Amino acid sequence: METIFALASAQGKAGVAVIRVSGPLAHEAGAQLCRGALPARGKSLKILKDQSGERLDEALVLSFTAPKSFTGENTVEFQVHGSTAVVAAVLETLGRIAGLRMAEPGEFTRRALENGNLDLAQVEGLADLIDAETEAQRRQAQIILAGGLGELAETWRASLIRAASLIEVTIDFADEEVPVDVTPEVSALLAEVQAGLARETDGVKIAERIRSGFEVAIIGAPNVGKSTLLNALAGREAAITSEFAGTTRDVIEVRMDLAGLPVTLLDTAGLRDTEDHVEGIGIALARKRAEDADLRVFLAEKNDILDVAMEDGDIRLQPKADLRGDAENAISGKSGQGIDRLVEHISLILKNRSSQAGIATRARHRDAMLSALVSLDEAQDILSRGPGFYDIAAEEMRSAIRALETLVGRIGVENLLDEIFSSFCLGK
């Protein structure tokens, strides 16, 4: 196993930079830079020097001994002053030590996975935590990183192993009379796991939205104030506004934080019949994005017929409240009237939806759980046919167990690893 090193904090000038070294030669490399032995585990304040003895920096040095480190290997971290020159000098000095090389993207985390310090779901949770922009994303990522999904999968796996063991005993003693009918207990164990899997599978879509962001489309006819409303919500001139119909031809996206939830607002082309080919393309795209959005805000008069069907939770408001006497249920991006009420309304709807989120957050998680559910449905059906089919039922249970093991990366995920770790920076 090679010893690797990299800058573990963000690139660029900062007050402090962290440089990590991990592998069998980590402590020896640290001792070379510090010109003296380091504690096996602990912290010390050291002067770092290069091969010629020239001072590089004064650093807080943290030592970790395997397996009690992030990677599960011997690790040394140097907290140096965060100038680009200091960081470059320390990295260059480490690169000249025999047996050390620069880490690849995600390699520290990959070693943590390979050494059993993290499961695959926790690795994904770490990636989500690094990318988290809102409070909801942070909380969700922390649950995964803390091992919440892995613990749930292990609970299900233990129940299925128990169920399969009971069936295997019956098969082993097929020629003898088994004193107890295990079918009720096995069926109950399977039903409990099925219920848990179904709950988590249903919650994946919402959890994915918390991770990637909810989409809220503003739609309506030309010149009803959609772009003005978007700009008011964004707090900046994100979209061009004018008195001419058809100004917005493409979908304009603005990402923002609403009540701790990631939300992308979509300003769409005004919906109308047109002979302008380019505007027609924009209108078709507007319809498609509006239909796919998680929530739609319609700007329309009371008697207007909507070109896109309203769904449960969608919001309908009258436009240009500043120009009408009766401003009830109306909004104006120009004057700001009704903006706070709309933000509160959107936040409440999305918060209620977010409460249905499960622990699992990715399509990969959903696919693994659905695969396990299919196998368990088959197992329940086969169990009802009697002891003569128990061997087939046991195999379906084993298939469900294997699906849960792919969920946390125990088996069958080698082809996913390169893709997952490619999103990490060098220092992770």
Side-chain angles (χ1 to χ4, degrees), residues 60-294:
L60 176 64
V61 183
L62 306 178
S63 307
F64 305 88
T65 301
K68 294 184 177 181
S69 70
F70 174 72
T71 60
E73 304 170 338
N74 287 345
T75 301
V76 175
E77 291 185 357
F78 303 98
Q79 295 188 12
V80 300
H81 293 95
S83 79
T84 55
V86 168
V87 171
V90 175
L91 291 176
E92 182 182 359
T93 302
L94 286 170
R96 291 177 177 175
I97 297 176
L100 271 64
R101 66 166 174 82
M102 184 71 77
E104 297 175 358
E107 191 168 3
F108 290 111
T109 306
R110 187 160 188 160
R111 290 191 176 194
L113 173 67
E114 293 168 348
N115 292 324
N117 280 18
L118 297 175
D119 62 37
L120 188 59
Q122 287 176 294
V123 169
E124 292 167 324
L126 177 58
D128 290 343
L129 184 61
I130 292 170
D131 291 336
E133 297 175 341
T134 69
E135 179 62 15
Q137 289 174 324
R138 183 196 66 80
R139 288 198 304 268
Q140 179 173 268
Q142 286 286 9
I143 292 172
I144 300 292
L145 180 56
L149 184 57
E151 291 174 4
L152 197 55
E154 187 57 36
T155 299
W156 293 332
R157 182 174 174 273
S159 295
L160 294 182
I161 289 174
R162 165 70 178 168
S165 299
L166 290 170
I167 290 295
E168 295 285 357
V169 168
T170 304
I171 295 171
D172 290 342
F173 293 93
D175 296 333
E176 304 175 22
E177 186 173 340
V178 180
V180 179
D181 181 9
V182 300
T183 305
E185 182 178 354
V186 170
S187 182
L189 286 169
L190 298 188
E192 183 180 356
V193 176
Q194 285 174 294
L197 286 167
R199 282 194 303 272
E200 280 302 314
T201 302
D202 290 342
V204 169
K205 183 177 180 181
I206 296 298
E208 278 187 299
R209 278 309 195 203
I210 293 175
R211 184 170 63 85
S212 62
F214 292 92
E215 287 195 348
V216 177
I218 304 172
I219 53 181
N223 270 355
V224 294
K226 299 184 299 299
S227 297
T228 304
L229 176 58
L230 176 79
N231 290 340
L233 291 169
R236 60 185 176 87
E237 295 295 317
I240 298 173
T241 61
S242 80
E243 70 275 16
F244 300 105
T247 300
T248 301
R249 298 193 172 200
D250 200 356
V251 175
I252 297 173
E253 302 183 5
V254 174
R255 192 169 178 87
M256 60 191 302
D257 182 333
L258 285 185
L261 294 169
V263 175
T264 298
L265 296 174
L266 308 177
D267 177 24
T268 60
L271 303 182
R272 66 170 180 173
D273 293 328
T274 180
E275 295 182 358
D276 186 313
H277 177 67
V278 176
E279 185 184 359
I281 294 174
I283 292 172
L285 179 60
R287 293 180 190 277
K288 179 67 168 60
R289 291 299 296 272
E291 290 168 356
D292 293 342
D294 301 289

Side-chain angles (χ1 to χ4, degrees), residues 228-376:
T228 304
L229 176 58
L230 176 79
N231 290 340
L233 291 169
R236 60 185 176 87
E237 295 295 317
I240 298 173
T241 61
S242 80
E243 70 275 16
F244 300 105
T247 300
T248 301
R249 298 193 172 200
D250 200 356
V251 175
I252 297 173
E253 302 183 5
V254 174
R255 192 169 178 87
M256 60 191 302
D257 182 333
L258 285 185
L261 294 169
V263 175
T264 298
L265 296 174
L266 308 177
D267 177 24
T268 60
L271 303 182
R272 66 170 180 173
D273 293 328
T274 180
E275 295 182 358
D276 186 313
H277 177 67
V278 176
E279 185 184 359
I281 294 174
I283 292 172
L285 179 60
R287 293 180 190 277
K288 179 67 168 60
R289 291 299 296 272
E291 290 168 356
D292 293 342
D294 301 289
L295 180 66
R296 283 148 293 276
V297 177
F298 291 88
L299 297 184
E301 299 293 346
K302 290 181 179 179
N303 298 323
D304 286 351
I305 298 175
L306 302 177
D307 291 340
V308 176
M310 285 190 69
E311 298 182 13
D312 184 37
D314 285 350
I315 300 169
R316 179 168 178 165
L317 299 170
Q318 292 176 276
K320 302 183 179 180
D322 54 307
L323 300 180
R324 61 176 73 241
D326 179 14
E328 185 179 355
N329 201 38
I331 194 167
S332 170
K334 186 174 182 179
S335 68
Q337 187 173 340
I339 294 290
D340 290 344
R341 187 167 61 249
L342 174 61
V343 170
E344 185 178 349
H345 195 175
I346 293 173
S347 300
L348 180 62
I349 292 171
L350 297 183
K351 273 187 175 180
N352 288 338
R353 293 184 185 180
S354 297
S355 66
Q356 303 167 24
I359 296 177
T361 60
R362 296 172 180 256
R364 184 186 72 80
H365 302 162
R366 181 179 61 245
D367 292 344
M369 292 188 295
L370 286 174
S371 177
L373 268 175
V374 169
S375 295
L376 294 181

